[in-house]
């Protein structure tokens, strides 16, 4: 065991990484998607999920004005979508159009549900906590959707 710089030690803790897409309304009535590896479940009753978003992201701006987001667990067929949503900014493009995934409006606030995903969780934004250069957005799950025919994507 030896002491090392944080990033090096952190990298050593992962092999396969689970990622999600968060989808939220934009200030102009469209939808934005972002790829995230920093997320977790934070409550059993009611079910709650937390996502951590950097302050430079367009998604951060969106969540300053919106009150909801969907957490979408991508299937193995969605690598291209995960790549686009994790490398392009919604400031420069409409990622929902760009990823060419089938979707329908959710029940809670109409935020898109991606049909090819393994699971989608519609969340109401209930609180946010600043954490260094990111903010943790906590959502209460209002509706959940599952696709039992799909396998989860690991990066
Ligand atoms: C595998 C992967 C995981 C990522 N995880 C996070 C994350 O947890 N939080 C975050 O703020 N950005 C994360 N990013 C970076 C954003 O997805 C990326 O900056 C995105 O282009 C931001 O889009 P936006 O400007 O439309 O919000 C990740 C990117 C990749 C490829």
């Amino acid at each position: 065991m030896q002491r090392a710089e944080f990033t090096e030690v952190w990298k050593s803790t992962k092999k396969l990484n689970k990622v999600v897409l968060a989808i939220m309304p934009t200030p102009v009535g469209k939808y934005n998607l972002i790829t995230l590896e920093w997320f977790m479940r934070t409550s059993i009753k009611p079910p709650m999920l937390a996502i951590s978003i950097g302050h430079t992201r367009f998604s951060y701006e969106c969540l300053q004005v919106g009150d909801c987001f969907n957490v979408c667990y991508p299937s193995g067929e969605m690598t291209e979508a995960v790549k686009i949503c994790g490398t392009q900014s919604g400031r420069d493009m409409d990622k929902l159009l760009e990823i060419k995934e089938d979707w329908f409006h959710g029940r809670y606030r109409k935020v898109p549900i991606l049909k090819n995903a393994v699971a989608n969780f519609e969340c109401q934004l209930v609180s946010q906590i600043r954490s260094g250069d990111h903010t943790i957005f906590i959502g209460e799950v209002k509706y959940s959707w599952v696709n039992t025919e799909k396998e989860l994507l690991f990066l």
Side-chain angles (χ1 to χ4, degrees):
M1 189 60 67
Q2 66 190 39
R3 199 159 62 84
E5 193 264 324
F6 174 80
T7 314
E8 196 186 323
V9 179
W10 187 245
K11 267 190 206 155
S12 74
T13 66
K14 12 179 124 176
K15 280 220 166 78
L16 284 177
N17 216 5
K18 215 192 305 178
V19 291
V20 292
L21 298 172
I23 312 170
M24 71 285 296
T26 72
V28 296
K30 292 187 172 183
Y31 299 103
N32 191 49
L33 298 89
I34 180 172
T35 299
L36 300 172
E37 62 176 282
W38 295 351
F39 61 92
M40 65 175 173
R41 183 170 178 179
T42 56
S43 167
I44 298 170
K45 236 179 185 178
M48 294 176 116
L49 301 174
I51 56 176
S52 182
I53 298 195
H55 297 151
T56 58
R57 320 287 191 228
F58 179 58
S59 302
Y60 174 78
E61 282 174 39
C62 296
L63 286 171
Q64 291 309 307
V65 289
D67 66 348
C68 57
F69 58 87
N70 286 357
V71 178
C72 165
Y73 282 69
S75 70
E77 299 164 17
M78 295 172 63
T79 45
E80 194 55 28
V82 167
K83 190 171 153 197
I84 291 170
C85 297
T87 54
Q88 306 294 319
S89 177
R91 287 191 193 96
D92 309 320
M93 67 165 65
D94 184 335
K95 288 190 253 185
L96 187 57
L97 284 180
E98 197 68 27
I99 62 173
K100 298 186 177 68
E101 286 286 336
D102 289 339
W103 60 274
F104 59 90
H105 284 289
R107 284 188 64 170
Y108 177 58
R109 288 272 198 267
K110 297 198 167 177
V111 180
I113 304 293
L114 301 187
K115 288 188 185 176
N116 269 328
V118 172
N120 286 264
F121 299 97
E122 296 184 64
C123 298
Q124 174 189 19
L125 178 60
V126 290
S127 59
Q128 38 182 300
I129 303 161
R130 209 183 154 98
S131 172
D133 57 5
H134 281 55
T135 286
I136 301 164
F137 294 91
I138 301 172
E140 182 177 326
V141 178
K142 294 295 182 183
Y143 297 102
S144 307
W145 304 80
V146 70
N147 190 343
T148 52
E149 289 157 20
K150 304 290 179 188
E151 295 284 342
L152 207 54
L153 171 70
F154 285 89
L155 289 184

